[in-house]
Amino acid sequence: MYRIRHLNRALLVCIIVNIVDAQETTVVNSTFAAKNVNEKQNTPAVKQKYRVDNDYIGIKAHNSIDFLPNRTICGLLSDEDRIFGGENAALDEFPWLARIKYLLNNGKEVYACAGSLITNNYVLTAAHCAVNLTIKEVRLGDWNTDTQPDCQGRVCNDPEVDVLITQVYIYPEYSKSDTFKGDIALLQLQKPVQFSDFIRPICLPTTEEIIKQDNSSESVFWTAGWGKTEYERKSNIKQKLALNAVPIDYCRKRQAIITDESANYVICAGGEAGKDTCVGDSGGSLAKQITANRSTNWFLIGVTSYGYKHCGSEGRPGLYARITPLMDWILHTIQL
């Protein structure tokens, strides 16, 4: 059975370079590259330090909620959504998942991190997947990285869509000294994408009812990606995996790097032997099916951020950037 694993941020640049056996350890700018933006006038700082019980207060005041797709469009379930385990995803599962292409300073291009489509012109990923790296474009609608079109049985998907990135917004309070205080970034697409059965955004937590369900101890999350498997190679077919929530107090005992200040920005999940996210999955989605107002949708709850160096280790849960306390900044940024 496949196990998906995730990336230690400090190793990201080295891993990207090793993919192509290059010697360079940095990435240079290009006319096709995104500009990393961290100025306050472009990325407003979050003024309020949200707690779980008042996250909704800041979110509901934003007119930019109207920029987000409604629940008749985002996070729709597919027929295969309830299959459990680390295995191949169906063609139309996790249609929000994007592969991120980087430009190296030797001119080569490689895919490394992942991201989640949240509107027709924004992809959400991890900050550590964007800082000091040159992002060229994202690929949407992929399933098997070795074939085109992708077919599962007699059903084939539409061709993948590649879209250039024009701007990168880094969460302003993110820093290498406290990785877990907002490890997210927004990638602005050069042009809006058309939604289909294979390219579709995931919903974001914007209502009080949804926010209250974002991180309970009984939560079951799902993640997906093309990261390393137990055979120490990347999967060419999109994989999916269910992960159980881990209480933050237990998680902090296992991952002492979580500080008092960053604890509210972190979701812990996994820790079962052989089930984890790993190299190549960084920036991808930690998603949860939530039912509200008689509708069940997929919601983006976290972003793959950090994990123990030996992926899939017993008792070592993965760490994910929690979306809810960062929604204020996300909503500010998508209306710029």
Side-chain angles (χ1 to χ4, degrees), residues 12 36 100 102 113 125-135 168-170 183-187:
L12 177 61
N36 284 333
I100 300 177
Y102 295 86
C113 285
T125 187
H128 75 258
C129 288
V131 172
N132 297 325
L133 295 167
T134 300
I135 297 174
V168 176
Y169 297 94
I170 308 297
D183 186 11
I184 68 166
L186 282 165
L187 310 180

Side-chain angles (χ1 to χ4, degrees), residues 36-55:
N36 284 333
V37 177
N38 205 16
E39 294 83 9
K40 290 185 178 179
Q41 65 268 26
N42 288 329
T43 52
V46 177
K47 296 180 180 179
Q48 183 180 6
K49 300 294 190 299
Y50 294 117
R51 293 180 58 83
V52 174
D53 57 357
N54 68 0
D55 286 329

Side-chain angles (χ1 to χ4, degrees), residues 88-307:
N88 290 354
L91 275 176
D92 60 348
E93 281 189 290
F94 311 98
W96 55 82
L97 204 61
R99 299 173 65 209
I100 300 177
K101 180 184 283 188
Y102 295 86
L103 181 65
L104 304 182
N105 61 351
N106 62 0
K108 293 184 178 180
E109 300 173 353
V110 296
Y111 288 101
C113 285
S116 300
L117 188 68
I118 60 169
T119 73
N120 63 357
N121 58 354
Y122 276 99
V123 166
L124 182 64
T125 187
H128 75 258
C129 288
V131 172
N132 297 325
L133 295 167
T134 300
I135 297 174
K136 178 180 178 180
E137 63 187 19
V138 295
R139 171 166 286 187
L140 297 160
D142 209 352
W143 181 70
N144 186 335
T145 61
D146 290 343
T147 62
Q148 188 177 10
D150 297 335
C151 297
Q152 196 172 34
R154 296 184 178 182
V155 179
C156 297
N157 66 1
D158 300 328
E160 301 91 346
V161 175
D162 296 321
V163 189
L164 295 175
I165 300 301
T166 60
Q167 198 84 312
V168 176
Y169 297 94
I170 308 297
Y171 181 68
E173 294 188 32
Y174 170 80
S175 70
K176 291 182 179 180
S177 60
D178 194 352
T179 302
F180 310 112
K181 192 177 179 181
D183 186 11
I184 68 166
L186 282 165
L187 310 180
Q188 186 174 14
L189 307 184
Q190 184 186 58
K191 59 182 180 180
V193 295
Q194 297 295 317
F195 298 148
S196 69
D197 289 340
F198 310 103
I199 298 176
R200 191 176 294 276
I202 189 170
C203 301
L204 295 181
T206 58
T207 68
E208 188 171 17
E209 184 176 4
I210 300 301
I211 289 168
K212 287 180 177 178
Q213 301 181 60
D214 84 330
N215 187 26
S216 67
S217 58
E218 296 82 21
S219 292
V220 176
F221 303 110
W222 285 81
T223 186
W226 295 267
K228 280 190 177 180
T229 70
E230 73 271 30
Y231 302 111
E232 296 298 328
R233 63 173 183 267
K234 281 196 170 187
S235 173
N236 61 314
I237 296 177
K238 185 191 298 183
Q239 302 289 292
K240 65 178 182 179
L241 179 70
L243 299 170
N244 293 321
V246 175
I248 189 66
D249 292 338
Y250 171 82
C251 189
R252 292 187 67 181
K253 292 178 182 178
R254 307 299 296 172
Q255 301 280 16
I257 49 180
I258 304 174
T259 65
D260 291 339
E261 188 174 5
S262 62
N264 189 49
Y265 292 83
V266 176
I267 287 178
C268 295
E272 182 181 345
K275 293 186 177 182
D276 202 355
T277 46
C278 199
V279 176
D281 294 318
S282 223
S285 60
L286 186 73
K288 182 180 179 181
Q289 289 182 13
I290 298 179
T291 301
N293 297 325
R294 294 181 294 182
S295 175
T296 301
N297 298 73
W298 284 105
F299 284 84
L300 184 64
I301 303 301
V303 172
T304 305
S305 179
Y306 185 91

